[in-house]
Amino acid sequence: MASTTASAAEAPQREGNPRAKGSLYRGDLGMWSWVAHRITGVLTFFFLFVHVLDTALVRVSPEAYDTVIETYKSPIMILFELGLLAAVLFHAFNGIRVMLVDFWANGPKYQKPMLWTVLVLWLVLIVPAAISMLTRAVTELFGGH
């Protein structure tokens, strides 16, 4: 029977790796992209769950639905929208990268350049969106309509 755990004698020694010290996850950038992919996936799931619940309020209590929608119009909610956009963009681009690594024969060979591509694409899209959304939030908070 195969075992997924290795004994201490079989385990690779990490003492020579300077990046391994002081880190809970002792991997490199690929490990952090794995963690970020899971976190953004959970955040997106919770957004969809809340979205389904507040949309269902239309049938149960239209007054409660109107109250919830008024809450969403607050400038503070723009920060949550920006966080949602950042999470969805990263999760989508990184998901494509993960599929390429899994199903493309050369995927594992190019996984690190693809991760940098994901990060650059994410930055290229999120920075202008953040500027636009934060400008709108500040305008609404301090003298806008």
Side-chain angles (χ1 to χ4, degrees):
M1 180 173 191
S3 174
T4 57
T5 58
S7 68
E10 298 170 340
Q13 297 297 321
R14 294 182 180 252
E15 294 172 2
N17 185 358
R19 292 185 298 181
K21 294 180 181 177
S23 176
L24 177 63
Y25 295 100
R26 296 186 176 175
D28 59 2
L29 196 57
M31 180 67 180
W32 290 109
S33 75
W34 181 87
V35 171
H37 194 76
R38 270 56 182 177
I39 290 171
T40 57
V42 168
L43 290 175
T44 303
F45 170 78
F46 280 117
F47 164 76
L48 290 174
F49 182 72
V50 169
H51 180 65
V52 167
L53 286 179
D54 65 25
T55 303
L57 281 176
V58 170
R59 300 284 246 164
V60 177
S61 171
E63 297 82 21
Y65 174 78
D66 291 340
T67 303
V68 169
I69 294 302
E70 283 301 316
T71 303
Y72 289 162
K73 292 179 181 176
S74 166
I76 300 300
M77 292 303 290
I78 292 174
L79 295 175
F80 288 105
E81 290 175 0
L82 180 60
L84 175 66
L85 178 63
V88 168
L89 281 177
F90 179 81
H91 194 78
F93 290 143
N94 197 47
I96 292 170
R97 184 188 73 90
V98 168
M99 285 191 296
L100 287 173
V101 169
D102 285 346
F103 297 116
W104 180 34
N106 291 327
K109 179 181 175 185
Y110 295 111
Q111 71 168 335
K112 199 166 258 185
M114 286 192 295
L115 178 58
W116 285 110
T117 304
V118 164
L119 293 175
V120 168
L121 280 175
W122 182 79
L123 278 174
V124 164
L125 292 176
I126 200 66
V127 167
I131 290 170
S132 173
M133 293 173 83
L134 292 176
T135 301
R136 184 172 52 125
V138 169
T139 302
E140 289 181 17
L141 273 175
F142 301 110
H145 58 282

